[in-house]
Amino acid sequence: GAVVSQHPSRVICKSGTSVKIECRSLDFQATTMFWYRQFPKQSLMLMATSNEGSKATYEQGVEKDKFLINHASLTLSTLTVTSAHPEDSSFYICSARVNRVISYNEQFFGPGTRLTVL
Amino acid sequence: LAKTTQPISMDSYEGQEVNITCSHNNIATNDYITWYQQFPSQGPRFIIQGYKTKVTNEVASLFIPADRKSSTLSLPRVSLSDTAVYYCLVGDMYSGGGADGLTFGKGTHLIIQP
């Protein structure tokens, strides 16, 4: 099956620093990747859609200048949390879309990155 | 996207069959029904997807009645490792239909006891 990896799996940083999270599709190409955020005991919330070679599309309420997304290749998307603050502490999960020949597609999720901002 | 309603939590015992029902009264003609499983501190894992009637794979079955206003995920002979949150999602999954991210509801927390 399609495998998506994330790096790092866990990061702890001081308030005010920037953190970059990588999302890679290991055995397939993904023109579209998605970034989600999940707070403790809550469901996943879509943050943005990352399109290879173009600007990301952000969901309402997500600051594009704070959460920088770059999708420079068909196998890599990065999310940079700029000037992180404690309220940005969360579980960040990426997914990649597999477009099938048949008329449906599904998303494969990475293992997630636990961000803790002190 | 059609709104979904699932039980908040369910308990069962090892070896039993577990059925989790999801209501989606406003499902649209082009919508598919997809179930994901999520363990703590992990990304969700695709379980099964269907449009109508019954779909079965190596881990689960999905039953969808003719009106498609609900669906039931069936897990045969569960084990302790099936303890997880199960999400029911409904949406247009046609390729070329736009790069839509998934909208997750609250999910069902399934707890399997020995």
Side-chain angles (χ1 to χ4, degrees):
Chain A
V3 179
V4 176
S5 70
Q6 281 185 240
H7 176 78
S9 59
R10 183 188 299 265
V11 57
I12 301 173
C13 69
K14 292 183 178 180
S15 183
T17 59
S18 294
V19 174
K20 179 185 285 188
I21 304 170
E22 293 184 350
C23 176
R24 294 182 184 273
S25 55
L26 297 185
D27 51 2
F28 67 99
Q29 293 183 332
T31 55
T32 304
M33 291 183 173
F34 303 91
W35 288 96
Y36 297 81
R37 180 168 53 182
Q38 186 175 32
F39 292 107
K41 299 190 184 301
Q42 294 189 23
S43 189
L44 286 79
M45 294 294 294
L46 178 67
M47 297 175 66
T49 301
S50 171
N51 299 299
E52 187 268 336
S54 64
K55 291 183 179 180
T57 304
Y58 291 82
E59 295 299 301
Q60 190 173 10
V62 178
E63 300 174 58
K64 63 179 181 181
D65 294 330
K66 181 171 184 62
F67 299 99
L68 302 179
I69 292 173
N70 184 279
H71 195 154
S73 77
L74 288 172
T75 59
L76 173 64
S77 175
T78 61
L79 169 69
T80 301
V81 183
T82 62
S83 187
H85 291 285
E87 57 266 29
D88 297 322
S89 297
S90 187
F91 192 51
Y92 291 86
I93 309 170
C94 73
S95 73
R97 229 166 97 117
V98 180
N99 292 323
R100 298 183 184 274
V101 175
I102 331 173
S103 57
Y104 75 90
N105 54 69
E106 60 201 54
Q107 293 185 23
F108 290 89
F109 287 81
T113 297
R114 176 75 60 190
L115 171 64
T116 303
V117 184
L118 302 177
Chain B
L1 294 173
K3 181 180 178 180
T4 60
T5 303
Q6 308 173 229
I8 295 174
S9 67
M10 293 180 66
D11 284 34
S12 188
Y13 293 97
E14 280 190 293
Q16 295 193 342
E17 178 184 81
V18 171
N19 296 310
I20 305 174
T21 297
C22 178
S23 297
H24 28 80
N25 292 318
N26 296 323
I27 189 169
T29 303
N30 288 342
D31 286 345
Y32 277 73
I33 300 155
T34 310
W35 285 80
Y36 284 85
Q37 175 194 55
Q38 185 183 28
F39 297 113
S41 296
Q42 294 188 28
R45 182 175 74 102
F46 173 90
I47 301 176
I48 197 166
Q49 185 179 73
Y51 184 81
K52 62 180 180 180
T53 61
K54 178 183 175 182
V55 179
T56 297
N57 62 23
E58 62 275 9
V59 297
S61 294
L62 179 59
F63 298 93
I64 306 167
D67 65 5
R68 306 201 324 123
K69 293 184 183 298
S70 67
S71 59
T72 299
L73 174 72
S74 181
L75 304 173
R77 296 183 298 281
V78 293
S79 64
L80 296 177
S81 61
D82 292 317
T83 294
V85 178
Y86 292 82
Y87 295 98
C88 163
L89 286 76
V90 174
D92 186 346
M93 292 296 193
Y94 279 93
S95 60
D100 292 321
L102 299 177
T103 299
F104 285 82
K106 296 185 183 301
T108 297
H109 190 187
L110 175 64
I111 299 171
I112 305 301
Q113 302 181 38

